[in-house]
Amino acid sequence: MAISQIVSDSIAANTVSSSLIANGSILSAHVANGAITSAHITSVANTAITGVINSSQIATSAQYMGFKNRIINGNMLIWQRGTTFTNVGSSYSADRWSSSVSSNMTVSQSTDVPNVQYKYSLLVVPAVNATPAEFVIRQWIEQQNIFDFAGQTVTASAWVKCSKSSVTLRIGTQNATGGGDAVSTISVTSGTWTKISYTFTTVFSAITAWTSTPNAAGAFFDIGFVGSTALTTSDYLYITGAQVEVGPQATSFDFRAYGRELILCQRYYQKSYEPGTVPGATVTNENAIQQDWGVAPSGSVASSVFPLAVTMRTSPTLTIYDLVGNSGKVAGLDAGAATTNNTSTNTQNATSTRVYVRMYAVGFYGISYMFTVSAEL
Amino acid sequence: MEYNYQQVANIDKSINDSIIVRLPDNAWIPNNLDNTDWQAYQKWLAQGNTPLPPKE
């Protein structure tokens, strides 16, 4: 019988085993394009693929490599400002995470996590009994970090554990022509860690142009409660593993090196304090930024310039502290070891690359100070 | 938190337009439209508020 007379209907299922097929006898020319789908492949051994997989062989609708997760500090590892924040309105808590609330919340670092892959979660508790229109933790995303979201489907995901039976994910565009926003409320089991996800098909796909400057906000991502949820101070919401990525499905969390994640955070906020020291805490002279002029330039002008660790998003807001936490002040140094805290300066400013302090008619031989700089979106 | 703002003087006592000090946290905010704290200050001004004059 000619081989062309054997059609697939003539072969009973599972009767042709691999031992009956001579090695190399089936060429790609014998297989119709698209005839072998993923459902027909059980597994492919590493040694079964030769050559190079190039980008054209990877679906363009999803990005699986590189800067996959556009959320910074999605696993809540970095807390430069502190670890407990009471009566938070829209201010920042964990790095890069702010909120949008119509009644205040308490935010803290928690070690209650979904599994051993995560070290911390962010815990949100209502500050008062209320029924707020919205009560969400929010991350603003810089526009130039999501240029490629335009025209794409985007998927958001996170691990959550809460006292309610549902949690809302929301994404909205900013400074974009044709964008929008969308909300998805997802059922969860109260008191149990659940990985939730939602694919936003319309929010970014409608974008035809980005407006404003590239370092402005391009989008926001919210996790929490939207739509007048009755909350009491006994309610809670834990969040970690937050991710926003291009593509139609949630993929595994993009774990990045701690140092790299910190640098990403420092584009928006950094400090001269040690990582575990809350800004405004008491520090020793030796641990502060110390500018020694050698003389007391009375009647003249003296200044201190300190380079920032990372170039910031834009010229930041600067808060200087003396050695005991007085904001807006520095510690003056005399010829001996004595310091005079609560000393005023004439100018304090920061650019995206450096901090600058200037004093007129200085009666000190030098100054010591600490600082925070914020260029959040 | 309710903020107030205070101007800063140059060495010749003129107003330094490149900066505003936010109270009570004494944060120095640059005159920069990309800075969201400066944007908040502009909204505060638009509401009819006036910053405090510089300290003597």
Side-chain angles (χ1 to χ4, degrees):
Chain A
M1 179 182 293
I3 193 73
S4 60
Q5 293 179 290
I6 303 175
V7 296
S8 58
D9 290 348
S10 305
I11 304 172
N14 301 321
T15 57
V16 182
S17 64
S18 58
S19 62
L20 299 175
I21 303 172
N23 193 19
S25 63
I26 299 179
L27 306 176
S28 59
H30 298 142
V31 183
N33 191 20
I36 300 179
T37 65
S38 58
H40 297 127
I41 303 171
T42 303
S43 64
V44 179
N46 291 338
T47 55
I49 298 175
T50 59
V52 176
I53 296 176
N54 59 47
S55 58
S56 66
Q57 292 159 321
I58 300 172
T60 55
S61 60
Q63 179 175 337
Y64 297 107
M65 292 170 281
F67 188 41
K68 179 176 74 172
N69 186 8
R70 308 307 167 86
I71 294 296
I72 297 172
N73 198 27
N75 54 349
M76 313 299 178
L77 269 182
I78 299 170
W79 298 69
Q80 292 191 85
R81 295 173 176 83
T83 55
T84 301
F85 305 85
T86 56
N87 288 320
V88 173
S90 58
S91 55
Y92 281 77
S93 51
D95 272 66
R96 300 295 299 119
W97 290 100
S98 63
S99 54
S100 178
V101 292
S102 41
S103 68
N104 284 358
M105 59 174 62
T106 296
V107 179
S108 59
Q109 182 189 77
S110 172
T111 55
D112 191 332
V113 291
N115 58 55
V116 71
Q117 295 180 344
Y118 297 91
K119 184 171 178 60
Y120 298 122
S121 62
L122 182 150
L123 169 60
V124 186
V125 175
V128 294
N129 298 345
T131 306
E134 61 181 50
F135 191 87
V136 298
I137 289 293
R138 168 171 292 180
Q139 183 158 142
W140 291 100
I141 306 174
E142 190 173 339
Q143 188 185 114
Q144 56 196 346
N145 281 350
I146 52 170
F147 277 159
D148 61 321
F149 277 20
Q152 300 276 2
T153 290
V154 168
T155 298
S157 58
W159 281 98
V160 298
K161 174 181 165 181
C162 75
S163 54
K164 297 295 188 183
S165 59
S166 64
V167 175
T168 294
L169 296 178
R170 177 168 64 183
I171 275 183
T173 61
Q174 295 279 296
N175 300 310
T177 301
D181 62 84
V183 172
S184 175
T185 298
I186 300 165
S187 295
V188 298
T189 302
S190 174
T192 301
W193 278 104
T194 307
K195 185 169 185 179
I196 61 173
S197 68
Y198 186 76
T199 297
F200 295 90
T201 58
T202 60
V203 175
F204 294 95
S205 59
I207 291 178
T208 57
W210 292 103
T211 60
S212 189
T213 53
N215 62 344
F220 62 86
F221 171 49
D222 292 345
I223 308 175
F225 307 109
V226 176
S228 301
T229 302
L231 299 172
T232 74
T233 54
S234 298
D235 284 313
Y236 60 86
L237 170 62
Y238 295 88
I239 304 164
T240 196
Q243 180 155 289
V244 172
E245 61 191 305
V246 171
Q249 67 277 315
T251 64
S252 61
F253 182 77
D254 183 17
F255 285 94
R256 294 189 282 252
Y258 177 88
R260 183 179 180 189
E261 201 75 36
L262 178 60
I263 287 171
L264 292 174
C265 293
Q266 287 175 324
R267 176 169 172 78
Y268 306 92
Y269 179 91
Q270 54 185 285
K271 63 181 182 178
S272 61
Y273 295 86
E274 293 286 332
T277 303
V278 176
T282 297
V283 297
T284 63
N285 213 358
E286 289 71 25
N287 289 333
I289 297 167
Q290 192 167 325
Q291 175 76 54
D292 296 313
W293 296 306
V295 296
S298 179
S300 183
V301 176
S303 61
S304 170
V305 179
F306 190 82
L308 294 172
V310 171
T311 300
M312 302 195 76
R313 181 185 68 83
T314 191
S315 296
T317 299
L318 167 67
T319 307
I320 293 279
Y321 296 92
D322 65 13
L323 304 186
V324 294
N326 291 312
S327 62
K329 306 293 184 178
V330 299
L333 306 176
D334 69 11
T339 58
T340 303
N341 281 301
N342 213 25
T343 296
S344 296
T345 70
N346 296 95
T347 297
Q348 304 168 12
N349 71 38
T351 68
S352 60
T353 59
R354 63 100 175 102
V355 164
Y356 176 68
V357 177
R358 184 167 60 186
M359 302 172 75
Y360 307 145
V362 185
F364 298 103
Y365 284 74
I367 57 173
S368 284
Y369 61 95
M370 301 295 277
F371 70 83
T372 65
V373 278
S374 174
E376 293 286 1
L377 288 161
Chain B
M1 177 181 290
E2 291 292 323
Y3 289 123
N4 198 354
Y5 297 88
Q6 185 164 36
Q7 295 173 316
V8 176
N10 293 309
I11 195 167
D12 63 359
K13 308 297 184 185
S14 62
I15 301 297
N16 184 339
D17 292 327
S18 67
I19 208 94
I20 194 76
V21 175
R22 186 176 63 197
L23 304 174
D25 63 351
N26 294 304
W28 291 54
I29 302 170
N31 180 343
N32 173 9
L33 292 175
D34 288 337
N35 183 302
T36 50
D37 294 322
W38 183 263
Q39 293 169 14
Y41 171 58
Q42 295 303 306
K43 286 182 182 176
W44 183 83
L45 288 176
Q47 291 168 355
N49 296 301
T50 305
L52 298 171
K55 290 179 181 175
E56 290 297 323

